[in-house]
Amino acid sequence: MIQTPYYLIDKSKLLQNMEKIAMLREQSGAKALLALKCFATWSVFDLMRDYMDGTTSSSLNEVRLGRERFGKETHAYSVAYADHEIDEVVSHADKIIFNTAGQLTRFADQSAGITRGLRLNPGVSSSSFDLADPARPFSRLGEWDVAKVEPVMDMISGFMIHNNCENGDFALFDRMLGEIEEKFGTLLKKAEWVSLGGGIHFTGPDYPLERLAERLKRFSGEFGVQVYLEPGEASITKSTTLEVSVLDTLYNGKNLAIVDSSIEAHMLDLLIYRENARMAPNDGEHRYMICGKSCLAGDIFGEFNFDHELKVGDRISIQDAAGYTMVKKNWFNGVKMPAIAIRELDGSLRTVREFSYTDYEQSLS
Ligand SMILES: *Cc1c(COP(=O)(O)O)cnc(C)c1O
């Protein structure tokens, strides 16, 4: 048995998402690029590569990883590039998408050899969190004003618009795309390609994939553009668990169990967005608050119902632990960093990475 803590990626579950992506690509004509900022565990890229068109990135490191570990089509985007990194970014990318007309103009010479685009901000989004809302007031994420984009149109051939966030509501997506068509229609007519970003939860269980495909195809036809999607969470949702062990139990008005992991270190978004982890099954008689082992008082995975009393050494699987976890893990408290393991399609288990004291020590100096 592999020692906890470890992330366990189940390829058969990953495959279910990949098959939905393949179906959407086929029915809509859209291309799908994995958003590396959500998930960059390259040991499963061999499986994903057959179902996706490439990767998109948010930094020099990501675009390089996309080129070297995934291959296929490689898009570069960043909120801002530095002078000293732009040449290397361009060397790894097929397309570069600038966040502002200012960056596009600044790097016009260095980027002239590859396809270029610009991020547009439609001013509407599906995010319910101000923190993650690209269309929040005073947002720095993309150009809003058509008049500022028109003068640089001769330098670009397409656009990126990312304004969905775990949006499982097709009607809302459809409505927002309508607003985009209205607001930016004159620009889109001149474009050859448009990326609609990530955040569309189309691999969810009841999502109307056919309607999405039809809508994307219509958008593509109307404006004469190749459509791209940049699924992060949708690509890997429900494919991975975080496997942990109980280290201690106590009663302090509630039953508590302390495990060998930490939300701050290993599932940071639970802390940022004040969400509970997911547990399955979660309908037994024995209710416990599952707590992390860092010294942060609020390091709590959530309260769950187990079918037995928890004792030291029991193993627990935290569900849905692929997206924005491994890419964000850190050495807070020096907590043992979870290993990464893969359940292959034939059911066999393989540990692909373990982290040691040396990794911790070498992350500092
Ligand atoms: C975050 C992001 C994505 C991926 O978003 P998901 O919600 O994980 O699908 C795609 N494109 C851009 C530009 C992003 O910022």
Side-chain angles (χ1 to χ4, degrees):
M1 219 154 50
I2 303 170
Q3 197 176 78
T4 59
Y6 62 99
Y7 300 98
L8 175 58
I9 306 171
D10 187 330
K11 273 193 178 171
S12 66
K13 293 184 182 159
L14 185 58
L15 189 59
Q16 293 175 14
N17 296 332
M18 291 298 112
E19 281 167 350
K20 286 186 183 171
I21 290 176
M23 197 190 305
L24 182 64
R25 286 164 72 212
E26 195 171 315
Q27 289 182 11
S28 68
K31 293 187 179 184
L33 306 176
L34 174 66
L36 293 172
K37 83 159 195 272
C38 171
F39 181 87
T41 310
W42 40 267
S43 290
V44 292
F45 285 178
D46 58 344
L47 177 93
M48 303 178 85
R49 194 181 292 118
D50 291 340
Y51 298 85
M52 302 186 77
D53 296 282
T55 57
T56 188
S57 54
S58 36
S59 62
L60 169 57
N61 282 333
E62 283 187 358
V63 73
R64 179 174 169 184
L65 188 87
R67 172 63 83 200
E68 292 183 358
R69 290 288 181 179
F70 199 106
K72 301 183 83 173
E73 209 168 328
T74 308
H75 283 200
Y77 164 75
S78 177
V79 171
Y81 291 112
D83 291 359
H84 61 81
E85 59 186 7
I86 191 70
D87 288 338
E88 198 182 340
V89 169
V90 168
S91 78
H92 296 300
D94 297 300
K95 275 194 186 68
I96 185 164
I97 298 157
F98 290 102
N99 187 56
T100 61
Q103 283 252 309
L104 169 63
T105 310
R106 178 174 190 83
F107 299 121
D109 291 344
Q110 292 98 319
S111 62
I114 60 172
T115 303
R116 291 185 291 208
L118 190 60
R119 179 168 183 170
L120 296 177
N121 189 325
V124 289
S125 92
S126 75
S127 178
S128 45
F129 286 97
D130 191 45
L131 181 66
D133 181 0
R136 78 212 297 262
F138 317 110
S139 174
R140 71 194 181 298
L141 303 172
E143 293 287 355
W144 306 57
D145 186 355
V146 174
K148 281 197 187 151
V149 178
E150 266 162 356
V152 297
M153 278 306 287
D154 58 330
M155 284 195 272
I156 60 176
S157 61
F159 297 102
M160 187 268 277
I161 299 165
H162 170 74
N163 68 329
N164 285 279
C165 182
E166 296 216 32
N167 182 8
D169 178 352
F170 171 73
L172 175 58
F173 170 80
D174 179 32
R175 205 159 61 237
M176 291 198 306
L177 188 57
E179 289 181 43
I180 287 168
E181 290 169 326
E182 201 155 300
K183 182 156 199 226
F184 294 128
T186 54
L187 297 175
L188 301 180
K189 282 267 186 216
K190 294 180 203 154
E192 291 166 23
W193 55 272
V194 174
S195 174
L196 295 173
I200 312 169
H201 208 59
F202 64 86
T203 51
D206 296 317
Y207 196 91
L209 257 190
E210 287 80 11
R211 292 175 68 199
L212 176 64
E214 185 277 328
R215 185 66 177 92
L216 295 176
K217 198 169 180 174
R218 193 146 44 85
F219 175 82
S220 165
E222 187 147 330
F223 295 96
V225 291
Q226 169 65 53
V227 172
Y228 287 86
L229 298 175
E230 304 174 354
E233 183 62 41
S235 306
I236 46 72
T237 193
K238 303 225 167 101
S239 66
T240 298
T241 54
L242 175 59
E243 301 291 322
V244 302
S245 294
V246 175
L247 300 178
D248 196 10
T249 59
L250 63 158
Y251 181 82
N252 260 343
K254 285 184 176 179
N255 283 312
L256 313 182
I258 300 170
V259 299
D260 55 358
S261 177
S262 156
I263 62 167
E264 179 155 24
H266 308 152
M267 289 190 79
L268 187 57
D269 276 13
L270 297 181
L271 186 62
I272 293 179
Y273 297 106
R274 315 221 130 252
E275 287 173 338
N276 285 328
R278 277 176 226 152
M279 192 69 67
N282 183 19
D283 50 11
E285 307 261 281
H286 302 271
R287 188 167 178 83
Y288 285 84
M289 181 185 282
I290 301 299
C291 310
K293 66 168 284 176
S294 83
C295 58
L296 179 73
D299 187 357
I300 293 162
F301 285 89
E303 285 185 38
F304 310 101
N305 299 306
F306 296 87
D307 62 7
H308 59 283
E309 248 177 64
L310 292 184
K311 54 183 194 322
V312 173
D314 282 356
R315 291 199 170 208
I316 296 175
S317 296
I318 312 279
Q319 301 295 305
D320 217 359
Y324 301 97
T325 55
M326 288 172 264
V327 291
K328 288 192 172 194
K329 63 188 161 45
N330 61 66
W331 287 108
F332 182 57
N333 269 220
V335 177
K336 167 92 174 150
M337 194 169 270
I340 300 173
I342 296 173
R343 191 188 303 283
E344 296 290 346
L345 292 173
D346 66 7
S348 62
L349 277 186
R350 183 163 68 96
T351 303
V352 293
R353 183 77 160 98
E354 282 175 294
F355 299 92
S356 64
Y357 171 73
T358 309
D359 292 305
Y360 166 63
E361 185 197 31
Q362 294 298 312
S363 74
L364 297 162
S365 77

mmCIF file of all heavy atoms in Angstrom, residues 33-39 56-58 77 119 134 141 160-167 195-201 229-236 323-324, ligand 1:
data_model
loop_
_atom_site.group_PDB
_atom_site.id
_atom_site.type_symbol
_atom_site.label_atom_id
_atom_site.label_comp_id
_atom_site.label_asym_id
_atom_site.label_seq_id
_atom_site.Cartn_x
_atom_site.Cartn_y
_atom_site.Cartn_z
ATOM 1 N N LEU A 33 -8.017 23.049 -25.645
ATOM 2 C CA LEU A 33 -6.664 23.156 -25.095
ATOM 3 C C LEU A 33 -6.735 23.031 -23.577
ATOM 4 O O LEU A 33 -7.535 23.714 -22.931
ATOM 5 C CB LEU A 33 -6.050 24.514 -25.445
ATOM 6 C CG LEU A 33 -6.025 24.912 -26.919
ATOM 7 C CD1 LEU A 33 -5.471 26.326 -27.061
ATOM 8 C CD2 LEU A 33 -5.193 23.925 -27.738
ATOM 9 N N LEU A 34 -5.890 22.197 -23.017
ATOM 10 C CA LEU A 34 -5.842 22.051 -21.558
ATOM 11 C C LEU A 34 -5.242 23.314 -20.931
ATOM 12 O O LEU A 34 -4.154 23.752 -21.327
ATOM 13 C CB LEU A 34 -4.971 20.836 -21.192
ATOM 14 C CG LEU A 34 -4.697 20.637 -19.702
ATOM 15 C CD1 LEU A 34 -5.980 20.307 -18.936
ATOM 16 C CD2 LEU A 34 -3.654 19.539 -19.486
ATOM 17 N N ALA A 35 -5.947 23.882 -19.950
ATOM 18 C CA ALA A 35 -5.418 25.051 -19.219
ATOM 19 C C ALA A 35 -4.487 24.542 -18.115
ATOM 20 O O ALA A 35 -4.931 23.993 -17.112
ATOM 21 C CB ALA A 35 -6.561 25.878 -18.636
ATOM 22 N N LEU A 36 -3.193 24.749 -18.329
ATOM 23 C CA LEU A 36 -2.200 24.172 -17.408
ATOM 24 C C LEU A 36 -2.251 24.789 -16.021
ATOM 25 O O LEU A 36 -1.789 24.177 -15.067
ATOM 26 C CB LEU A 36 -0.796 24.331 -17.997
ATOM 27 C CG LEU A 36 -0.529 23.522 -19.271
ATOM 28 C CD1 LEU A 36 0.823 23.910 -19.863
ATOM 29 C CD2 LEU A 36 -0.561 22.019 -18.980
ATOM 30 N N LYS A 37 -2.792 25.976 -15.890
ATOM 31 C CA LYS A 37 -2.806 26.575 -14.558
ATOM 32 C C LYS A 37 -3.694 25.778 -13.604
ATOM 33 O O LYS A 37 -3.524 25.842 -12.399
ATOM 34 C CB LYS A 37 -3.238 28.040 -14.608
ATOM 35 C CG LYS A 37 -4.728 28.286 -14.651
ATOM 36 C CD LYS A 37 -5.032 29.726 -14.187
ATOM 37 C CE LYS A 37 -6.491 29.910 -13.856
ATOM 38 N NZ LYS A 37 -7.313 30.292 -15.015
ATOM 39 N N CYS A 38 -4.637 25.011 -14.144
ATOM 40 C CA CYS A 38 -5.517 24.184 -13.326
ATOM 41 C C CYS A 38 -4.899 22.831 -13.021
ATOM 42 O O CYS A 38 -5.007 22.317 -11.904
ATOM 43 C CB CYS A 38 -6.835 23.983 -14.076
ATOM 44 S SG CYS A 38 -7.934 22.768 -13.330
ATOM 45 N N PHE A 39 -4.244 22.267 -14.013
ATOM 46 C CA PHE A 39 -3.750 20.890 -13.896
ATOM 47 C C PHE A 39 -2.558 20.728 -14.823
ATOM 48 O O PHE A 39 -2.682 20.959 -16.025
ATOM 49 C CB PHE A 39 -4.864 19.925 -14.294
ATOM 50 C CG PHE A 39 -4.498 18.467 -14.192
ATOM 51 C CD1 PHE A 39 -4.651 17.774 -13.003
ATOM 52 C CD2 PHE A 39 -4.003 17.780 -15.298
ATOM 53 C CE1 PHE A 39 -4.316 16.430 -12.902
ATOM 54 C CE2 PHE A 39 -3.663 16.433 -15.213
ATOM 55 C CZ PHE A 39 -3.823 15.756 -14.008
ATOM 56 N N THR A 56 -2.901 25.541 -23.110
ATOM 57 C CA THR A 56 -2.740 26.983 -22.990
ATOM 58 C C THR A 56 -2.138 27.276 -21.625
ATOM 59 O O THR A 56 -2.146 26.433 -20.735
ATOM 60 C CB THR A 56 -4.046 27.752 -23.229
ATOM 61 O OG1 THR A 56 -3.732 29.161 -23.285
ATOM 62 C CG2 THR A 56 -5.055 27.509 -22.133
ATOM 63 N N SER A 57 -1.586 28.475 -21.492
ATOM 64 C CA SER A 57 -0.687 28.728 -20.374
ATOM 65 C C SER A 57 -0.909 30.127 -19.815
ATOM 66 O O SER A 57 -1.559 30.961 -20.432
ATOM 67 C CB SER A 57 0.741 28.610 -20.874
ATOM 68 O OG SER A 57 0.919 29.470 -21.986
ATOM 69 N N SER A 58 -0.317 30.366 -18.665
ATOM 70 C CA SER A 58 -0.405 31.708 -18.089
ATOM 71 C C SER A 58 0.956 32.260 -17.679
ATOM 72 O O SER A 58 1.015 33.261 -16.967
ATOM 73 C CB SER A 58 -1.375 31.732 -16.906
ATOM 74 O OG SER A 58 -1.323 30.548 -16.171
ATOM 75 N N TYR A 77 -0.334 32.741 -23.093
ATOM 76 C CA TYR A 77 -1.047 33.918 -22.601
ATOM 77 C C TYR A 77 -0.410 34.267 -21.268
ATOM 78 O O TYR A 77 0.076 33.384 -20.564
ATOM 79 C CB TYR A 77 -2.552 33.629 -22.413
ATOM 80 C CG TYR A 77 -3.240 34.672 -21.549
ATOM 81 C CD1 TYR A 77 -3.533 35.939 -22.059
ATOM 82 C CD2 TYR A 77 -3.560 34.415 -20.216
ATOM 83 C CE1 TYR A 77 -4.121 36.918 -21.256
ATOM 84 C CE2 TYR A 77 -4.144 35.378 -19.412
ATOM 85 C CZ TYR A 77 -4.431 36.629 -19.934
ATOM 86 O OH TYR A 77 -4.993 37.588 -19.136
ATOM 87 N N ARG A 119 -6.636 39.555 -25.586
ATOM 88 C CA ARG A 119 -7.732 39.191 -24.690
ATOM 89 C C ARG A 119 -8.753 40.320 -24.632
ATOM 90 O O ARG A 119 -8.396 41.484 -24.455
ATOM 91 C CB ARG A 119 -7.215 38.907 -23.279
ATOM 92 C CG ARG A 119 -8.347 38.545 -22.321
ATOM 93 C CD ARG A 119 -7.848 37.990 -21.003
ATOM 94 N NE ARG A 119 -8.980 37.605 -20.158
ATOM 95 C CZ ARG A 119 -8.871 36.921 -19.028
ATOM 96 N NH1 ARG A 119 -7.680 36.564 -18.590
ATOM 97 N NH2 ARG A 119 -9.949 36.608 -18.331
ATOM 98 N N PRO A 134 -13.407 37.741 -13.557
ATOM 99 C CA PRO A 134 -12.585 38.514 -14.495
ATOM 100 C C PRO A 134 -13.250 39.825 -14.898
ATOM 101 O O PRO A 134 -12.569 40.746 -15.355
ATOM 102 C CB PRO A 134 -12.457 37.597 -15.724
ATOM 103 C CG PRO A 134 -13.087 36.303 -15.381
ATOM 104 C CD PRO A 134 -13.924 36.493 -14.155
ATOM 105 N N LEU A 141 -8.006 42.301 -16.606
ATOM 106 C CA LEU A 141 -7.957 41.110 -17.456
ATOM 107 C C LEU A 141 -8.598 41.351 -18.821
ATOM 108 O O LEU A 141 -9.755 41.032 -19.048
ATOM 109 C CB LEU A 141 -8.600 39.926 -16.725
ATOM 110 C CG LEU A 141 -7.940 39.631 -15.370
ATOM 111 C CD1 LEU A 141 -8.736 38.590 -14.592
ATOM 112 C CD2 LEU A 141 -6.497 39.168 -15.557
ATOM 113 N N MET A 160 -9.082 36.123 -27.342
ATOM 114 C CA MET A 160 -9.407 35.207 -26.240
ATOM 115 C C MET A 160 -10.336 35.947 -25.287
ATOM 116 O O MET A 160 -10.078 37.110 -24.942
ATOM 117 C CB MET A 160 -8.137 34.741 -25.524
ATOM 118 C CG MET A 160 -8.380 33.662 -24.476
ATOM 119 S SD MET A 160 -8.668 34.317 -22.834
ATOM 120 C CE MET A 160 -6.969 34.577 -22.292
ATOM 121 N N ILE A 161 -11.398 35.249 -24.918
ATOM 122 C CA ILE A 161 -12.362 35.809 -23.965
ATOM 123 C C ILE A 161 -12.603 34.733 -22.911
ATOM 124 O O ILE A 161 -13.074 33.645 -23.236
ATOM 125 C CB ILE A 161 -13.705 36.145 -24.672
ATOM 126 C CG1 ILE A 161 -13.488 37.184 -25.772
ATOM 127 C CG2 ILE A 161 -14.743 36.624 -23.652
ATOM 128 C CD1 ILE A 161 -14.660 37.314 -26.738
ATOM 129 N N HIS A 162 -12.254 35.006 -21.671
ATOM 130 C CA HIS A 162 -12.465 34.017 -20.595
ATOM 131 C C HIS A 162 -13.315 34.672 -19.518
ATOM 132 O O HIS A 162 -12.847 35.532 -18.793
ATOM 133 C CB HIS A 162 -11.110 33.571 -20.032
ATOM 134 C CG HIS A 162 -11.217 32.758 -18.779
ATOM 135 N ND1 HIS A 162 -11.638 31.447 -18.756
ATOM 136 C CD2 HIS A 162 -10.962 33.077 -17.494
ATOM 137 C CE1 HIS A 162 -11.627 30.988 -17.515
ATOM 138 N NE2 HIS A 162 -11.218 31.960 -16.719
ATOM 139 N N ASN A 163 -14.581 34.295 -19.466
ATOM 140 C CA ASN A 163 -15.455 34.922 -18.470
ATOM 141 C C ASN A 163 -16.404 33.925 -17.809
ATOM 142 O O ASN A 163 -17.328 34.313 -17.109
ATOM 143 C CB ASN A 163 -16.254 36.070 -19.098
ATOM 144 C CG ASN A 163 -17.273 35.586 -20.113
ATOM 145 O OD1 ASN A 163 -17.056 34.571 -20.777
ATOM 146 N ND2 ASN A 163 -18.372 36.288 -20.246
ATOM 147 N N ASN A 164 -16.151 32.617 -18.032
ATOM 148 C CA ASN A 164 -16.947 31.609 -17.337
ATOM 149 C C ASN A 164 -16.129 31.042 -16.182
ATOM 150 O O ASN A 164 -14.902 31.000 -16.233
ATOM 151 C CB ASN A 164 -17.349 30.473 -18.286
ATOM 152 C CG ASN A 164 -18.452 30.913 -19.232
ATOM 153 O OD1 ASN A 164 -19.619 30.930 -18.876
ATOM 154 N ND2 ASN A 164 -18.069 31.307 -20.445
ATOM 155 N N CYS A 165 -16.832 30.599 -15.144
ATOM 156 C CA CYS A 165 -16.178 30.060 -13.965
ATOM 157 C C CYS A 165 -17.052 28.940 -13.414
ATOM 158 O O CYS A 165 -18.142 29.212 -12.907
ATOM 159 C CB CYS A 165 -15.986 31.171 -12.942
ATOM 160 S SG CYS A 165 -15.143 30.607 -11.473
ATOM 161 N N GLU A 166 -16.616 27.701 -13.588
ATOM 162 C CA GLU A 166 -17.402 26.532 -13.179
ATOM 163 C C GLU A 166 -18.884 26.721 -13.527
ATOM 164 O O GLU A 166 -19.772 26.468 -12.717
ATOM 165 C CB GLU A 166 -17.220 26.247 -11.686
ATOM 166 C CG GLU A 166 -15.775 25.881 -11.387
ATOM 167 C CD GLU A 166 -15.617 24.824 -10.310
ATOM 168 O OE1 GLU A 166 -16.500 23.949 -10.186
ATOM 169 O OE2 GLU A 166 -14.592 24.880 -9.608
ATOM 170 N N ASN A 167 -19.126 27.176 -14.738
ATOM 171 C CA ASN A 167 -20.495 27.470 -15.165
ATOM 172 C C ASN A 167 -21.154 26.221 -15.760
ATOM 173 O O ASN A 167 -20.853 25.816 -16.875
ATOM 174 C CB ASN A 167 -20.472 28.607 -16.189
ATOM 175 C CG ASN A 167 -21.866 28.997 -16.651
ATOM 176 O OD1 ASN A 167 -22.861 28.514 -16.084
ATOM 177 N ND2 ASN A 167 -21.939 29.842 -17.652
ATOM 178 N N SER A 195 -10.851 32.205 -28.939
ATOM 179 C CA SER A 195 -10.875 31.267 -27.831
ATOM 180 C C SER A 195 -11.866 31.764 -26.802
ATOM 181 O O SER A 195 -11.806 32.919 -26.369
ATOM 182 C CB SER A 195 -9.495 31.143 -27.185
ATOM 183 O OG SER A 195 -9.648 30.324 -26.030
ATOM 184 N N LEU A 196 -12.779 30.878 -26.415
ATOM 185 C CA LEU A 196 -13.787 31.262 -25.421
ATOM 186 C C LEU A 196 -13.367 30.881 -24.002
ATOM 187 O O LEU A 196 -14.177 30.885 -23.079
ATOM 188 C CB LEU A 196 -15.151 30.662 -25.787
ATOM 189 C CG LEU A 196 -15.742 31.216 -27.090
ATOM 190 C CD1 LEU A 196 -17.002 30.457 -27.488
ATOM 191 C CD2 LEU A 196 -16.041 32.709 -26.975
ATOM 192 N N GLY A 197 -12.103 30.522 -23.819
ATOM 193 C CA GLY A 197 -11.570 30.323 -22.479
ATOM 194 C C GLY A 197 -12.049 29.043 -21.817
ATOM 195 O O GLY A 197 -12.512 28.105 -22.472
ATOM 196 N N GLY A 198 -11.931 29.023 -20.507
ATOM 197 C CA GLY A 198 -12.323 27.838 -19.731
ATOM 198 C C GLY A 198 -13.589 28.103 -18.945
ATOM 199 O O GLY A 198 -14.391 28.962 -19.315
ATOM 200 N N GLY A 199 -13.766 27.328 -17.881
ATOM 201 C CA GLY A 199 -14.849 27.599 -16.944
ATOM 202 C C GLY A 199 -16.223 27.107 -17.351
ATOM 203 O O GLY A 199 -17.198 27.366 -16.655
ATOM 204 N N ILE A 200 -16.323 26.395 -18.497
ATOM 205 C CA ILE A 200 -17.620 25.829 -18.891
ATOM 206 C C ILE A 200 -17.648 24.395 -18.380
ATOM 207 O O ILE A 200 -16.808 23.587 -18.772
ATOM 208 C CB ILE A 200 -17.813 25.859 -20.424
ATOM 209 C CG1 ILE A 200 -17.470 27.240 -20.971
ATOM 210 C CG2 ILE A 200 -19.242 25.458 -20.787
ATOM 211 C CD1 ILE A 200 -17.370 27.263 -22.496
ATOM 212 N N HIS A 201 -18.598 24.091 -17.511
ATOM 213 C CA HIS A 201 -18.556 22.792 -16.836
ATOM 214 C C HIS A 201 -19.255 21.715 -17.676
ATOM 215 O O HIS A 201 -20.189 21.057 -17.218
ATOM 216 C CB HIS A 201 -19.164 22.909 -15.444
ATOM 217 C CG HIS A 201 -18.594 21.909 -14.485
ATOM 218 N ND1 HIS A 201 -17.242 21.867 -14.205
ATOM 219 C CD2 HIS A 201 -19.155 20.906 -13.793
ATOM 220 C CE1 HIS A 201 -17.012 20.876 -13.366
ATOM 221 N NE2 HIS A 201 -18.153 20.283 -13.097
ATOM 222 N N LEU A 229 -11.643 26.169 -27.047
ATOM 223 C CA LEU A 229 -12.016 26.173 -25.627
ATOM 224 C C LEU A 229 -10.765 25.853 -24.828
ATOM 225 O O LEU A 229 -9.855 25.194 -25.337
ATOM 226 C CB LEU A 229 -13.109 25.129 -25.342
ATOM 227 C CG LEU A 229 -14.439 25.329 -26.070
ATOM 228 C CD1 LEU A 229 -15.371 24.152 -25.770
ATOM 229 C CD2 LEU A 229 -15.095 26.649 -25.684
ATOM 230 N N GLU A 230 -10.733 26.306 -23.585
ATOM 231 C CA GLU A 230 -9.557 26.107 -22.738
ATOM 232 C C GLU A 230 -9.959 25.449 -21.423
ATOM 233 O O GLU A 230 -9.805 26.041 -20.346
ATOM 234 C CB GLU A 230 -8.884 27.456 -22.460
ATOM 235 C CG GLU A 230 -8.498 28.228 -23.707
ATOM 236 C CD GLU A 230 -7.958 29.633 -23.401
ATOM 237 O OE1 GLU A 230 -7.993 30.062 -22.230
ATOM 238 O OE2 GLU A 230 -7.481 30.284 -24.341
ATOM 239 N N PRO A 231 -10.514 24.227 -21.486
ATOM 240 C CA PRO A 231 -10.995 23.615 -20.245
ATOM 241 C C PRO A 231 -9.864 23.263 -19.283
ATOM 242 O O PRO A 231 -8.899 22.608 -19.671
ATOM 243 C CB PRO A 231 -11.719 22.353 -20.729
ATOM 244 C CG PRO A 231 -11.103 22.045 -22.047
ATOM 245 C CD PRO A 231 -10.736 23.372 -22.664
ATOM 246 N N GLY A 232 -9.983 23.731 -18.051
ATOM 247 C CA GLY A 232 -9.092 23.299 -16.984
ATOM 248 C C GLY A 232 -9.855 22.294 -16.134
ATOM 249 O O GLY A 232 -9.779 21.084 -16.349
ATOM 250 N N GLU A 233 -10.651 22.831 -15.227
ATOM 251 C CA GLU A 233 -11.409 21.974 -14.300
ATOM 252 C C GLU A 233 -12.259 20.926 -15.048
ATOM 253 O O GLU A 233 -12.332 19.775 -14.628
ATOM 254 C CB GLU A 233 -12.297 22.851 -13.403
ATOM 255 C CG GLU A 233 -13.093 22.110 -12.341
ATOM 256 C CD GLU A 233 -12.246 21.369 -11.313
ATOM 257 O OE1 GLU A 233 -11.214 21.908 -10.871
ATOM 258 O OE2 GLU A 233 -12.618 20.236 -10.953
ATOM 259 N N ALA A 234 -12.894 21.330 -16.151
ATOM 260 C CA ALA A 234 -13.761 20.385 -16.864
ATOM 261 C C ALA A 234 -12.976 19.183 -17.401
ATOM 262 O O ALA A 234 -13.528 18.096 -17.575
ATOM 263 C CB ALA A 234 -14.489 21.092 -18.015
ATOM 264 N N SER A 235 -11.690 19.362 -17.664
ATOM 265 C CA SER A 235 -10.888 18.263 -18.218
ATOM 266 C C SER A 235 -10.626 17.169 -17.183
ATOM 267 O O SER A 235 -10.535 16.003 -17.531
ATOM 268 C CB SER A 235 -9.525 18.776 -18.700
ATOM 269 O OG SER A 235 -9.677 19.834 -19.596
ATOM 270 N N ILE A 236 -10.481 17.583 -15.936
ATOM 271 C CA ILE A 236 -9.980 16.625 -14.934
ATOM 272 C C ILE A 236 -10.954 16.409 -13.780
ATOM 273 O O ILE A 236 -10.640 15.716 -12.825
ATOM 274 C CB ILE A 236 -8.605 17.077 -14.398
ATOM 275 C CG1 ILE A 236 -8.578 18.575 -14.043
ATOM 276 C CG2 ILE A 236 -7.543 16.851 -15.468
ATOM 277 C CD1 ILE A 236 -9.321 18.977 -12.850
ATOM 278 N N GLY A 323 -8.078 19.510 -9.670
ATOM 279 C CA GLY A 323 -7.955 20.859 -10.195
ATOM 280 C C GLY A 323 -7.493 21.865 -9.159
ATOM 281 O O GLY A 323 -8.044 21.927 -8.056
ATOM 282 N N TYR A 324 -6.499 22.667 -9.499
ATOM 283 C CA TYR A 324 -6.011 23.737 -8.630
ATOM 284 C C TYR A 324 -5.511 23.198 -7.291
ATOM 285 O O TYR A 324 -5.615 23.859 -6.266
ATOM 286 C CB TYR A 324 -7.100 24.813 -8.437
ATOM 287 C CG TYR A 324 -7.539 25.423 -9.747
ATOM 288 C CD1 TYR A 324 -8.672 24.972 -10.411
ATOM 289 C CD2 TYR A 324 -6.765 26.409 -10.351
ATOM 290 C CE1 TYR A 324 -9.049 25.495 -11.638
ATOM 291 C CE2 TYR A 324 -7.134 26.956 -11.576
ATOM 292 C CZ TYR A 324 -8.278 26.481 -12.215
ATOM 293 O OH TYR A 324 -8.634 27.008 -13.425
HETATM 294 C C1 LIG B 1 -8.342 29.826 -15.509
HETATM 295 C C2 LIG B 1 -8.413 29.913 -16.970
HETATM 296 C C3 LIG B 1 -8.823 28.804 -17.736
HETATM 297 C C4 LIG B 1 -9.267 27.499 -17.123
HETATM 298 O O1 LIG B 1 -10.400 27.702 -16.312
HETATM 299 P P1 LIG B 1 -11.211 26.457 -15.715
HETATM 300 O O2 LIG B 1 -12.263 27.124 -14.882
HETATM 301 O O3 LIG B 1 -10.285 25.647 -14.885
HETATM 302 O O4 LIG B 1 -11.770 25.718 -16.865
HETATM 303 C C5 LIG B 1 -8.827 28.937 -19.106
HETATM 304 N N1 LIG B 1 -8.442 30.090 -19.705
HETATM 305 C C6 LIG B 1 -8.034 31.171 -19.004
HETATM 306 C C7 LIG B 1 -7.629 32.401 -19.722
HETATM 307 C C8 LIG B 1 -8.004 31.121 -17.622
HETATM 308 O O5 LIG B 1 -7.622 32.206 -16.922
#
